[in-house]
Amino acid sequence: MGSKNKLRRFRENETFSNVYQPTRDELVNEEYEFKGNWNKNVFKNDNPLVLELGCGKGEYSVALAQRYPDKNFIGIDIKGARFWRGAKTAVEENIPNVAFLRTQIELIDHAFGENEVDEIWITFPDPQIKYKRTKHRMTNAEFLARYKKILKADGVVNLKTDSEFMHGYTLGLLHGAGHEVLYANHNVYKQEGSPEEVTSIQTFYESQYLEQNKAITYIRFKIK
């Protein structure tokens, strides 16, 4: 993507009412006005709040919002030029129950209050296969601790990935730490009984993976 195109998208994001871009200082200093108040101040209702972490172009967040109008969705990514597409689609198609937050996932517990979130989706994260990159894996113990802070007591996390490594790493960590695995599937499109919300929504890259006959894996779990 050219730099001019990126700048244009950044500028357009600033005009979208569904895009939120707090500064790092606002978050770290606990000054962010929407922390603990997303439903009240943004969505103006008490519906369940669902996050997509590392949302990329925002396709999954938008599709979930269209599918579940009685839930609120927030796609989160540090790359605003990417989620610009999802934000623009939501504006153009008047989808009121989806928003986008530009921040690092490491700051997630500074952007949301304790017990504020009902559900988390992690869709096709970078598996960070090298050992020295373990700290960046989005299902490592430190990230799970952050998610637990903001999730309600019965909140759930969904991991959808084309990486067998990420799937196996996460399953091993969950079982080893005593977390509750609600559902696990090594190939959601080949095995019967896969949740419809997992197979009925596909991102652009996911459809490419499927054309290459790559298995798509899925885990649904609770953090204890």
Side-chain angles (χ1 to χ4, degrees), residues 124-164:
F124 302 96
D126 186 331
Q128 308 286 1
I129 291 174
K130 292 183 178 178
Y131 179 75
K132 65 180 181 180
R133 301 290 295 175
T134 301
K135 66 180 180 180
H136 297 290
R137 289 178 200 151
M138 289 178 61
T139 55
N140 71 27
E142 289 185 8
F143 275 113
L144 293 185
R146 292 187 179 104
Y147 306 156
K148 181 175 172 59
K149 273 188 186 179
I150 63 173
L151 279 167
K152 292 180 179 174
D154 59 347
V156 296
V157 182
N158 305 275
L159 171 67
K160 189 177 183 183
T161 175
D162 64 306
S163 169
E164 277 289 342

Side-chain angles (χ1 to χ4, degrees), residues 39 184 208 224:
N39 274 352
Q208 288 190 324
K224 295 299 185 182

